[in-house]
Amino acid sequence: MKHRRRIVSILLMLALVILPFQTVAAGTLPTGQESLAGTTVIMHTNDSHARAVPNSDSGYMGFTAVSALKKSYEAAGAQVILLDAGDTLHGLPFANLVKGESIVKIMNLAGYDAMTPGNHDFNYGSSTLKEISKNMNFPLLSSNIKNKSDNSDFLEDHIIIEKNGVKYGIFGLSTPETAYKTNPKNVTSIEFTNPVEAAKEEVKELEAEGAQVIIALAHLGLDESSEYTSKLVAEKVDGIDLIVDGHSHSVLEAGLTVGDTLIVSTGDYIQNIGVVIIGSDGAMKADLISASEYTGTDKAVDDKATEYQNEQEKLLSEVVGHTSVYLDGIREHVRAGETNLGDFTTDAFRYVTGADVAITNGGGIRASIEIGDISRKDLVTVFPFGNYVVTKKVTGEAILEALELGASTYPEPLGGFLQVSGITYTIDASKLSGKRISDVKVNGVAIDKKAEYLLATNDFIIAGGDGYTMLADFKVENEFGSIEDVLLEYLKEKGTINQESANRIKIVGLNAEVPEVTETPEVTEVPEVTDTEDESSEDSTYVVQKGDNLWKIAVKLFGDAGKWKKIYEWNKDTIKNPNLIYIGQELRIAAE
């Protein structure tokens, strides 16, 4: 890797003129016993979702630990670059009630050097995010967001920071999924371009400006269902030494090396602080530091956090209802099945709007509610995104398409899995995606594809978020208050919540073998199948395209949908679920 080699030679020369110092210890925490003079430390966080304040029960370290750790490294003689990979300014009342102002002020105190926005950082709207960035003492970076009006850059694309005589070029990358993983209305004036192509241009520009180490500060993630990932950028773009990543909440204990690029990510909620130690020889060592390893705090950060908490506490502590049962909002549950919290929420939507059917995406439910009093803070914590409730008259056919999408990855968790009210249906997990839903009834009557139904949901889903584009073009009937306000109104009527899961969604075929598909759809184009790099093999490789599933690929390649089983057999080592393949995934096609 030419950048890594360049920094090695430069730092070795520097080492000859710097006064002798002890080498970095085997661990990555500063102990106070050794000198870190000449060492550069890249500290990083991602996907904190406004978990700015420590919570020992949950293992959240808060920005106070980040700030204290930075100061500890500096006290030991290291020079530090502190970066954040996004989804930071929104998530809990601490941030939401003041549109991220509290987070920005604390990040300023902690001494951040740069941040790239995540999709949820757009939840206040792109224009608000731009205003928020003016209060940052550090640049908000992204090289692949353009203003639609004139194709100009929405944000600054890169910076160069010099530490220990070495120039670090840092550029931002944002996930194009932001177009539908925030409310689409939040980003109507901007567009997200191809991050791979943007990265190639940034490397060229930074090299021309003299950067010796190039860092991509990315909110792309490693989720294989995403079209663009940090792994893809590492594979396709030469010259990136380090990718500081976010979005998929991946925990990379010692980083992930892809070619000549090191990818690092901490997980989420500041349960870990990421560090990359760059020694005098230029070698990079990645590690994660958890709350069990580091307990340092910064009083200035703690005081600022307390100031905001005190301002908000009186409003948020108001009791608005009561529940006699645990309301289940566990991430893995609401994204892969019906829960009583999902039922309660969608029942509230129907009650307030008078809709025939109500749905909400499991990924929008961010916490559970314990037995006892329900406060405003509980409601805002469960639904932190500031969404409001909308109704539309939609066809039965559109509802069926939405149900199919929500069940498309079952039993794998999916943010778009639907919690429902006013409707019952069956998911047959043994069938291929798109053909799983049956026995659909609206208020006890079989659904009519051609009939119109009044549908209530949140504004994120109704605008096409989470891929629900089949609902986007129908005319809005009415807009209601925030989800919090709707739940408050329902709680006033109910008083005490005591509902268990209502069994609105029936699951069958979970352990059954997926049957052969006898239907052969019309195929207008057969994508090219490229040879593998091993010229001695007669096997070939097929790259999964948008809209593919195994039976469609079988038709494209063999003209026989039934041969999907063979494709599955050839790729069992990489396909865990035959109903779940990903754009860009390479499938082995054996010679016959």
Side-chain angles (χ1 to χ4, degrees):
M1 176 171 53
K2 61 182 179 181
H3 293 295
R4 191 79 54 85
R5 287 196 296 269
R6 188 184 303 162
I7 187 174
V8 169
S9 61
I10 291 171
L11 289 174
L12 283 173
M13 287 188 289
L14 287 171
L16 296 176
V17 296
I18 294 174
L19 291 174
F21 61 92
Q22 288 181 281
T23 58
V24 179
T28 50
L29 274 171
T31 65
Q33 303 301 313
E34 78 280 3
S35 171
L36 299 181
T39 299
T40 299
V41 179
I42 310 295
M43 288 180 56
H44 57 98
T45 52
N46 61 275
D47 295 282
S48 57
H49 292 279
R51 270 68 176 181
V53 179
N55 183 321
S56 58
D57 292 337
S58 301
Y60 306 158
M61 302 174 74
F63 286 112
T64 183
V66 175
S67 181
L69 183 59
K70 180 175 185 284
K71 290 179 178 179
S72 294
Y73 278 117
E74 291 171 338
Q79 294 191 17
V80 179
I81 298 175
L82 178 54
L83 305 173
D84 185 84
D87 272 5
T88 306
L89 305 175
H90 192 283
L92 291 179
F94 183 85
N96 300 354
L97 293 179
V98 290
K99 294 187 176 180
E101 175 190 342
S102 54
I103 303 296
V104 169
K105 288 190 175 182
I106 286 177
M107 292 179 76
N108 286 342
L109 282 175
Y112 274 82
D113 292 293
M115 172 185 168
T116 197
N119 51 297
H120 288 301
D121 294 316
F122 288 88
N123 282 358
Y124 307 116
S126 59
S127 60
T128 300
L129 178 61
K130 195 70 174 285
E131 287 299 311
I132 291 171
S133 70
K134 294 177 182 178
N135 296 322
M136 296 175 175
N137 295 343
F138 50 90
L140 187 63
L141 301 176
S142 182
S143 62
N144 69 312
I145 309 178
K146 301 291 183 181
N147 292 305
K148 287 182 179 178
S149 59
D150 58 5
N151 202 41
S152 61
D153 292 336
F154 175 68
L155 297 171
E156 190 175 352
D157 53 0
H158 66 252
I159 57 169
I160 293 178
I161 298 175
E162 186 169 334
K163 296 291 183 181
N164 286 313
V166 176
K167 292 182 177 179
Y168 292 83
I170 305 166
F171 69 94
L173 289 175
S174 300
T175 176
E177 294 178 350
T178 304
Y180 59 90
K181 288 194 172 178
T182 183
N183 186 325
K185 291 182 180 179
N186 292 336
V187 290
T188 54
S189 64
I190 58 177
E191 61 183 351
F192 296 81
T193 63
N194 185 326
V196 172
E197 296 305 315
K200 289 178 180 177
E201 290 300 314
E202 287 300 310
V203 170
K204 289 179 185 177
E205 290 186 27
L206 286 167
E207 286 180 338
E209 293 177 25
Q212 296 157 298
V213 176
I214 294 182
I215 300 172
L217 183 55
H219 194 82
L220 293 175
L222 292 166
D223 190 335
E224 291 181 348
S225 65
S226 298
E227 183 175 3
Y228 296 104
T229 64
S230 57
K231 182 174 181 286
L232 180 67
V233 170
E235 291 170 342
K236 299 294 185 182
V237 183
D238 292 330
I240 301 175
D241 298 293
L242 177 67
I243 297 178
V244 176
D245 198 24
H247 190 43
S248 59
H249 297 206
S250 301
V251 179
L252 303 178
E253 292 284 352
L256 171 67
T257 300
V258 178
D260 289 331
T261 302
L262 177 65
I263 302 173
V264 293
S265 178
T266 69
D268 55 22
Y269 302 161
I270 317 185
Q271 296 181 86
N272 300 294
I273 301 171
V275 294
V276 179
I277 307 293
I278 305 177
S280 59
D281 61 355
M284 292 184 180
K285 176 184 178 181
D287 197 8
L288 298 179
I289 295 173
S290 68
S292 63
E293 299 171 276
Y294 186 75
T295 57
T297 59
D298 184 330
K299 185 177 184 300
V301 173
D302 289 336
D303 288 347
K304 180 59 67 175
T306 299
E307 177 185 328
Y308 275 108
Q309 286 176 308
N310 290 341
E311 290 174 1
Q312 298 171 1
E313 198 57 41
K314 185 175 181 180
L315 174 63
L316 292 174
S317 62
E318 179 188 352
V319 174
V320 294
H322 187 86
T323 178
S324 61
V325 294
Y326 174 77
L327 295 173
D328 183 2
I330 295 172
R331 179 186 176 98
E332 291 77 14
H333 295 175
V334 294
R335 294 173 181 234
E338 178 185 353
T339 77
N340 62 344
L341 181 53
D343 290 345
F344 160 63
T345 300
T346 50
D347 284 351
F349 287 9
R350 278 211 307 145
Y351 169 78
V352 171
T353 66
D356 301 307
V357 177
I359 60 175
T360 199
N361 54 316
I365 297 174
R366 292 301 173 119
S368 300
I369 298 178
E370 301 288 343
I371 294 173
D373 290 337
I374 301 174
S375 67
R376 280 183 177 268
K377 185 174 183 179
D378 291 325
L379 299 182
V380 178
T381 302
V382 173
F383 294 101
F385 301 122
N387 294 112
Y388 56 91
V389 177
V390 182
T391 56
K392 284 186 177 184
K393 285 184 179 178
V394 305
T395 62
E397 184 175 16
I399 291 174
L400 289 172
E401 289 180 18
L403 296 178
E404 287 285 4
L405 177 60
S408 60
T409 67
Y410 190 87
E412 299 293 331
L414 179 70
F417 186 91
L418 294 178
Q419 304 292 326
V420 301
S421 177
I423 193 166
T424 60
Y425 60 98
T426 297
I427 299 173
D428 189 340
S430 71
K431 293 185 177 180
L432 290 167
S433 298
K435 298 178 179 293
R436 295 179 152 194
I437 301 301
S438 64
D439 193 27
V440 182
K441 294 180 180 179
V442 176
N443 298 314
V445 179
I447 195 167
D448 182 345
K449 286 186 178 182
K450 296 181 180 180
E452 281 192 335
Y453 299 91
L454 186 63
L455 174 72
T457 186
N458 62 67
D459 59 313
F460 170 69
I461 290 293
I462 212 69
D466 265 346
Y468 286 94
T469 55
M470 73 290 292
L471 304 175
D473 293 335
F474 292 97
K475 178 180 174 293
V476 171
E477 288 293 313
N478 209 340
E479 294 182 353
F480 297 82
S482 68
I483 293 179
E484 175 194 354
D485 290 338
V486 168
L487 295 180
L488 281 170
E489 186 173 345
Y490 188 56
L491 280 168
K492 287 179 182 178
E493 170 67 20
K494 299 287 288 185
T496 296
I497 304 302
N498 56 16
Q499 71 188 82
E500 301 293 344
S501 181
N503 298 316
R504 297 164 185 176
I505 305 172
K506 182 180 179 182
I507 307 295
V508 299
L510 189 56
N511 299 315
E513 182 180 0
V514 179
E516 285 193 14
V517 177
T518 56
E519 177 184 350
T520 301
E522 180 182 353
V523 179
T524 57
E525 181 180 353
V526 179
E528 180 181 354
V529 179
T530 57
D531 291 336
T532 61
E533 294 181 1
D534 183 0
E535 296 180 359
S536 64
S537 172
E538 295 182 5
D539 292 353
S540 58
T541 298
Y542 177 84
V543 179
V544 176
Q545 310 293 311
K546 187 175 182 179
D548 275 345
N549 56 39
L550 290 185
W551 64 270
K552 285 185 179 180
I553 295 170
V555 172
K556 291 176 183 179
L557 301 184
F558 306 111
D560 180 1
K563 288 193 175 181
W564 73 266
K565 282 189 175 181
K566 285 194 173 184
I567 300 174
Y568 175 52
E569 288 295 327
W570 296 331
N571 295 275
K572 269 189 171 180
D573 56 333
T574 58
I575 300 178
K576 296 179 181 178
N577 182 343
N579 297 312
L580 190 61
I581 58 176
Y582 307 106
I583 295 172
Q585 185 175 0
E586 293 186 354
L587 303 180
R588 172 177 169 259
I589 306 299
E592 291 191 305

